[in-house]
Amino acid sequence: MIPTKLLRSSTLRLSIIHMAAFGLSVLVLLGFIYTSTAGFMERQTDETINAEIQGLAEQYSQLGLTGLIRVIKSRVAKDKAGSSVYLLTDWKFNPLAGNLADWPKFKDTGSGWFDATLEDTENFEPRRVRMRYFLLPGNFHLIVGRDVSERIKVERLIMDALIWGLGITVVLGGLGGLLTSRWTLKRIDVINKASREIMRGELNRRIPTRGAGDEFDRLAENLNAMLDQISKLMDGVKQVSNNIAHDLRGPLNRIRSGLEMSLTRPVDDPEHYRAVLRQTISEIDNLLMTFNALLTIAQAESGTRRQDFTTVDLTSLAADVAELYEPLAEEKGLAFSVALAPDVTIPGNRHLLSQTLANLLDNAVKYTPDGGGITVTLTATPNGPELAVADTGPGIPAEYRDLVLERFARLESSRNTPGSGLGLSLVAAAAGLHQAALRLEDNHPGLRVTLAFPRPRA
């Protein structure tokens, strides 16, 4: 469990990182907006100047110097706001026409473009002008420019608006991140509190949900499901331990009683001692079978047997196991029939599948009365192969079909028959390992047990 102080520190650092990343992304976005807007206005100004220079050059080529002077004076007269700047000089830079008093000082970069600050004699304010120098045939010099003071003011307004927008966004983002962090910490503290109570021994405690269906609710539901499964497994371990103690006490008492009685018999009675040893070996074999069955079930449920999977010919396996039990059924006067689909293969553990089918047939032979019947079928369905064992015995009532799949579970009607109550538990564990659906159904009369395997992948 994460300590609360460390959790708060980690969450705070995470919030700061998120805020910084968010602020940086907003800054990049606003910078892109500013450069795009300012760049568009600057390109528009340059295009206007280029268009005027081209027009004046055409006027000069058509009307000559006098015509060009007349055109420039006309444009200056029409431009009441003084937003356009013109200056035509001779080769000595003496002004011939325009609204500039003299040739401005600028550093020639070779492109002809330059920016200058001009004094406004009417408003007594300097104004920024974007200009281009052009040389006309006859060594006449022409400057055309546009007043960009208003454009600069607009750019400053945009910059101020973007700065304010960035500031407001960062503030709101910080408040939102702070509120989100506090809300997240509150939800995590609820999980931590419930975890501490469970660690103190309150195993029935569960993490509360808000019903919002968000990630925290799903996390709480998954943790609760995990706790339920752990609780179920612990109850199963407790039940198995109790059952082992109960079911093994009888055989151990019988072994001990037989050995004690042997101590009271004369030493020169070897037949008695042989009988006691045979009985002891038989009881120990039964105990070993029980422990082996428990170990096999545990391995199947844990999935360790899956590493031994190979391609199993289910048709051949079912035929071999059925052939072993057919003589036992005939000795008891049972009708034994087998119907197997050909060439059915699945990925699986051959030994465990053989043991599973053997357990089903052993139960069928054991509980089917004389004159009854047993049927083994293997069917290839579109959803996958199905292996079934059906008998005409007493069957299992529907309300007890889940119970008999548990370890050491036995019905009252079968208490006097040999067995440990682990056969169907092993069948259920093997079905889970092979991802097969296990169905216990009424055979009218008797029981039908079906293992529906998934369709093998190509």
Side-chain angles (χ1 to χ4, degrees):
M1 185 180 63
I2 302 174
T4 304
K5 291 184 178 180
L6 179 59
L7 178 64
R8 293 183 185 277
S9 176
S10 300
T11 306
L12 181 60
R13 288 197 298 268
L14 186 61
S15 300
I16 293 174
I17 293 173
H18 286 171
M19 289 170 56
F22 176 72
L24 181 61
S25 61
V26 172
L27 180 62
V28 171
L29 176 62
L30 296 181
F32 173 75
I33 294 174
Y34 173 77
T35 54
S36 299
T37 305
F40 171 76
M41 291 189 295
E42 185 175 349
R43 288 192 302 273
Q44 191 177 36
T45 301
D46 291 351
E47 289 173 0
T48 302
I49 294 174
N50 279 330
E52 286 206 62
I53 286 179
Q54 184 177 0
L56 293 175
E58 291 177 355
Q59 294 289 338
Y60 176 72
S61 63
Q62 294 177 3
L63 304 178
L65 181 61
T66 305
L68 178 59
I69 293 174
R70 188 168 57 251
V71 170
I72 292 176
K73 289 182 178 180
S74 175
R75 292 188 178 185
V76 170
K78 291 179 180 180
D79 185 17
K80 302 297 184 182
S83 57
S84 297
V85 174
Y86 303 97
L87 179 60
L88 177 64
T89 68
D90 58 14
W91 62 277
K92 293 183 178 182
F93 297 98
N94 295 315
L96 301 177
N99 51 7
L100 285 181
D102 52 13
W103 190 264
K105 295 180 180 180
F106 65 91
K107 184 177 180 180
D108 190 3
T109 60
S111 64
W113 291 97
F114 63 95
D115 296 313
T117 302
L118 303 179
E119 295 293 334
D120 190 339
T121 56
E122 295 183 359
N123 299 322
F124 302 101
E125 290 182 0
R127 56 175 182 161
R128 295 286 297 172
V129 179
R130 174 71 168 167
M131 292 181 285
R132 184 185 175 189
Y133 160 72
F134 188 74
L135 181 62
L136 294 172
N139 205 19
F140 293 100
H141 304 278
L142 176 64
I143 287 180
V144 177
R146 298 284 295 180
D147 189 340
V148 294
S149 300
E150 293 298 324
R151 191 196 77 189
I152 293 175
K153 290 180 181 179
V154 171
E155 290 178 358
R156 289 175 179 172
L157 288 175
I158 295 174
M159 176 62 74
D160 292 342
L162 294 179
I163 292 174
W164 276 101
L166 177 62
I168 294 173
T169 303
V170 170
V171 171
L172 293 179
L175 290 175
L178 180 61
L179 294 176
T180 302
S181 299
R182 294 188 62 182
W183 177 81
T184 303
L185 283 173
K186 187 176 181 181
R187 295 295 300 272
I188 295 178
D189 282 341
V190 171
I191 297 176
N192 275 338
K193 181 180 178 182
S195 301
R196 286 192 295 269
E197 293 175 356
I198 294 171
M199 292 168 62
R200 285 197 295 264
E202 300 180 24
L203 300 181
N204 293 326
R205 180 77 165 86
R206 293 296 179 266
I207 301 172
T209 59
R210 293 189 175 184
D214 56 9
E215 290 78 5
F216 285 100
D217 275 358
R218 289 197 292 271
L219 174 62
E221 291 169 358
N222 290 334
L223 291 175
N224 289 337
M226 180 185 68
L227 292 171
D228 291 339
Q229 183 66 17
I230 292 174
S231 179
K232 181 180 177 181
L233 292 175
M234 291 179 64
D235 291 340
V237 171
K238 186 185 301 182
Q239 181 183 0
V240 169
S241 301
N242 294 335
N243 289 335
I244 289 176
H246 181 270
D247 285 45
L248 299 187
R249 183 173 55 186
L252 292 175
N253 283 333
R254 287 194 296 270
I255 293 173
R256 188 178 187 279
S257 298
L259 295 176
E260 279 187 340
M261 291 179 62
S262 298
L263 293 176
T264 63
R265 299 295 295 263
V267 180
D268 57 352
D269 189 358
E271 290 301 325
H272 171 74
Y273 285 106
R274 287 192 182 94
V276 170
L277 290 175
R278 284 194 294 269
Q279 180 64 27
T280 301
I281 291 173
S282 177
E283 294 286 357
I284 292 175
D285 286 341
N286 289 333
L287 292 177
L288 290 175
M289 289 176 59
T290 299
F291 280 109
N292 286 333
L294 288 172
L295 179 61
T296 302
I297 292 172
Q299 290 175 341
E301 289 180 342
S302 65
T304 56
R305 289 292 187 94
R306 189 172 287 113
Q307 63 187 2
D308 299 328
F309 272 24
T310 59
T311 300
V312 178
D313 187 342
L314 201 56
T315 303
S316 173
L317 182 147
D320 292 342
V321 177
E323 185 178 356
L324 291 176
Y325 279 87
E326 187 174 5
L328 298 177
E330 291 177 352
E331 287 180 7
K332 198 174 178 181
L334 304 177
F336 196 88
S337 61
V338 179
L340 306 177
D343 301 325
V344 176
T345 59
I346 62 170
N349 186 303
R350 182 179 180 84
H351 174 72
L352 189 56
L353 290 172
S354 299
Q355 194 171 358
T356 299
L357 182 56
N359 284 356
L360 294 178
L361 287 174
D362 187 71
N363 285 343
V365 172
K366 186 186 302 181
Y367 295 111
T368 303
D370 296 349
I374 298 174
T375 303
V376 180
T377 58
L378 176 61
T379 309
T381 71
N383 296 325
E386 291 188 358
L387 177 64
V389 175
D391 60 58
T392 57
I396 299 176
E399 61 270 22
Y400 295 117
R401 289 173 186 168
D402 290 334
L403 175 64
V404 296
L405 300 179
E406 299 178 2
R407 296 177 180 85
F408 299 106
R410 305 188 71 186
L411 300 180
E412 290 297 328
S413 58
S414 61
R415 286 290 179 184
N416 297 324
T417 59
S420 60
L422 295 174
L424 288 178
S425 298
L426 190 145
V427 172
L433 180 67
H434 291 83
Q435 298 179 348
L438 176 61
R439 300 196 300 266
L440 276 63
E441 302 166 319
D442 199 340
N443 195 42
H444 304 290
L447 177 68
R448 179 182 178 86
V449 181
T450 303
L451 286 169
F453 295 93
R455 183 173 59 184
R457 296 181 180 178

